[in-house]
Amino acid sequence: MIFTIFLMGTVAYAQKSKKDDWKKHTPTENIKPGYEANRAKNRPKRKVIEYIYVKDSKGILFGNPCAVEVTRKMGFEYVPQPLGVPGGMTISEIENHNMLVKLKLFFTKGPFWKLVAKKRIKECAENSGDFVG
């Protein structure tokens, strides 16, 4: 009888509470422990990066980490898209896509977003040694 009471007591202590179960249901992103991940207000905010397609990579410092960071902070990224590549976009598709992205940047970042981006990219080029002249 004492052994049965002992077993009943250990079974009661072995059960997990609901608070310990939160680790299974949260994503690996930065969410505070104990918050419910399925609610919109608790999800981490994600920034949507738009792409501006360019014919060549002249002047955009493609591959420079500083320049990529500058453009991503502004909400876009330059992507070199040579013309005539099989499976690539046509010139009219590129122009239509870029027009919509630039229009969005005009309203979200202001009318001088392109000048600001060029200035910051030029500063990145000078600081990293990519600038000549």
Side-chain angles (χ1 to χ4, degrees):
M1 186 161 152
I2 294 176
F3 183 71
T4 308
I5 293 172
F6 176 73
L7 283 179
M8 287 175 35
T10 58
V11 171
Y13 289 117
Q15 294 177 354
K16 287 187 173 184
S17 67
K18 287 274 187 185
K19 291 181 181 178
D20 294 338
D21 202 29
W22 65 269
K23 291 181 183 179
K24 290 186 213 171
H25 302 293
T26 57
T28 58
E29 300 177 55
N30 296 332
I31 293 181
K32 294 180 182 178
Y35 280 74
E36 195 173 325
N38 293 332
R39 291 191 178 168
K41 67 179 183 176
N42 294 333
R43 289 188 196 121
K45 304 297 183 250
R46 294 188 177 125
K47 190 170 190 176
V48 176
I49 303 295
E50 299 288 342
Y51 298 113
I52 296 179
Y53 297 105
V54 293
K55 297 173 196 163
D56 58 353
S57 60
K58 181 181 176 185
I60 61 170
L61 295 181
F62 185 73
N64 188 326
C66 176
V68 171
E69 182 181 337
V70 164
T71 57
R72 282 190 178 177
K73 281 184 181 178
M74 292 191 75
F76 73 96
E77 186 174 334
Y78 287 114
V79 177
Q81 178 74 34
L83 298 175
V85 176
M89 299 171 72
T90 64
I91 188 71
S92 62
E93 291 174 336
I94 290 174
E95 288 174 354
N96 290 338
H97 175 79
N98 287 349
M99 181 185 64
L100 294 174
V101 172
K102 290 176 182 180
L103 188 65
K104 178 183 175 186
L105 289 170
F106 179 83
F107 287 110
T108 57
K109 298 298 177 186
F112 302 110
W113 68 269
K114 195 167 189 174
L115 295 174
V116 171
K118 281 187 176 185
K119 178 184 175 196
R120 291 180 184 169
I121 289 173
K122 186 176 178 181
E123 289 173 358
C124 286
E126 291 172 352
N127 293 338
S128 65
D130 287 342
F131 184 73
V132 178

